[in-house]
Amino acid sequence: MIERVAEIQKQAEAEISTAATSVALEQLRVKYLGRKAELPQLLRDVAELPAEQRGAVGRSANEARQTLEALIEAAAARFEAEELTAALADDNVDVTLPGSPVEAHGHHHLLSATRREIEDVFCGLGYSVVEGPEVETVHYNFDALNHGPAHPARARSDSFYIEGGGDGSEQTLLRTHTSPMQIRIMEQTPPPIALIVPGRVFRRDSDATHTPQFHQIEGLLVDEGVTLADLKGTLLAFARAIFGADRELRLRPHFFPFTEPSVEVDVSCFVCEQGTVAGGNRCSLCKGTGWLEVLGSGMVDPSVFAAVSEHGYDPESHQGFAFGLGIERIAMLKHGVPDLRFFYENDLRFLRQFG
Ligand code: PHE
């Protein structure tokens, strides 16, 4: 019996030393130490041996088992280390590759998409994007922008005032335009500056072309030597980026309290030829005029600079232009949306057309 134990041990040791993989090693463990293997069986049978043989056989078989267990364990640890090293060497993960793309669910609302499109155009021209408060003081919304005491937008019937917001210029209201940010920006940033300000504005108005809340993008550029030609060139680049490379601009004299001169800006219609569509009919988009009114703008009034002169703006040496456009209006023109209220009704049949 003891010889048989020695034989098994010798054979097992030889095979274990030549095992090439952890799988082969595991097969050897089952073969020599598994439940049906000869050595464990032998150990179980020790109890049935004559008493004088039991001690010696039991000891030798036990030692053989422990030796083989230790050998297998050591070989297994070696394989584990080798296989890990090999797997790591094999596993060339390129951490700079993009991850699996996230499946897109939904898309931007047409107003967000339009805002981003306009922002992209002005960022490309070197403008920064900033935002400002929706609840404004009368000072920033009207006074600092030269609105006279009788300006109609100040009326409670036109604007949303907030109760208990103080008196006079301290009084607060929902901003009626993004222009108050012109003043806030100039108070914080010395010239030269070039910024746009997208945001919500609020007016007491409600019909097919007016909602109590809508969105504007304000633009403000201040430097030395800025002229109306710069304003026109900038807005022409904007109009061509949004409405097509063949667009032309027309400036019409207008009035805003904080720009001088002030202009309303028209873009040549992009669906017709001078007001007439193919077949000779009158264009319904531009109502046969050949022009689409898109925004208000002008050269910053020197009196506005005078009010922020302590912040580095000198009405003698600085010039600037400002413009304010309605995001809804741009989106309606560009996509032929007939009613402003569609933007806010959350009807998926409408929204999904602009994915
Ligand atoms: N704030 C003006 C409006 O809402 C638009 C405007 C902005 C005009 C900047 C001139 C310059 O009507």
Side-chain angles (χ1 to χ4, degrees), residues 1 21 50 56 60 65 81 96 100 161 203 217 223 279 283 324 332 339 347:
M1 275 251 167
T21 64
S60 74
R65 190 186 61 183
T96 66
S100 325
Y161 283 84
R203 294 181 192 175
I217 295 185
D223 202 344
C283 174
M332 286 173 87
D339 191 319
D347 186 334

Side-chain angles (χ1 to χ4, degrees), residues 120-201:
D120 276 355
V121 174
F122 284 101
C123 286
L125 294 173
Y127 285 66
S128 308
V129 183
V130 296
E131 289 184 38
E134 291 171 4
V135 178
E136 259 304 358
T137 61
V138 162
H139 168 74
Y140 284 109
N141 197 85
F142 295 128
D143 298 345
L145 291 166
N146 277 337
H147 286 66
H151 193 283
R154 289 185 185 258
R156 283 171 191 270
S157 55
D158 280 27
S159 302
F160 296 102
Y161 283 84
I162 288 164
E163 297 292 331
D167 292 324
S169 67
E170 289 302 299
Q171 193 166 24
T172 49
L173 77 166
L174 300 183
R175 65 179 174 191
T176 61
H177 52 174
T178 42
S179 301
M181 273 302 282
Q182 289 188 26
I183 309 297
R184 289 185 179 272
I185 290 163
M186 289 192 282
E187 285 177 349
Q188 285 164 20
T189 322
I193 52 166
L195 297 129
I196 55 168
V197 187
R200 287 190 192 91
V201 301

Side-chain angles (χ1 to χ4, degrees), residues 47-105:
E48 281 145 41
L49 289 177
E52 65 277 12
Q53 287 179 23
R54 257 182 238 160
V57 173
R59 207 175 309 115
S60 74
N62 227 344
E63 279 171 11
R65 190 186 61 183
Q66 279 166 7
T67 307
L68 294 182
E69 272 173 3
L71 278 175
I72 288 173
E73 209 174 297
R78 210 172 54 240
F79 282 133
E80 200 183 321
E82 279 172 16
E83 283 164 14
L84 181 65
T85 311
L88 286 177
D90 214 34
D91 193 12
N92 288 321
V93 177
D94 183 349
V95 293
T96 66
L97 284 175
S100 325
V102 177
E103 218 181 298
H105 289 290

Side-chain angles (χ1 to χ4, degrees), residues 176-177 179 182 203 216 218 256 258-259 296-298 322-324:
T176 61
H177 52 174
S179 301
Q182 289 188 26
R203 294 181 192 175
Q216 286 188 333
E218 190 81 8
F256 296 106
F258 44 95
T259 48
S297 69
F323 54 88

Side-chain angles (χ1 to χ4, degrees), residues 157-160 202-214 340-341:
S157 55
D158 280 27
S159 302
F160 296 102
F202 307 85
R203 294 181 192 175
R204 287 193 175 220
D205 248 342
S206 193
D207 59 39
T209 51
H210 300 87
T211 44
Q213 176 211 284
F214 60 105
L340 184 59
R341 290 167 292 204

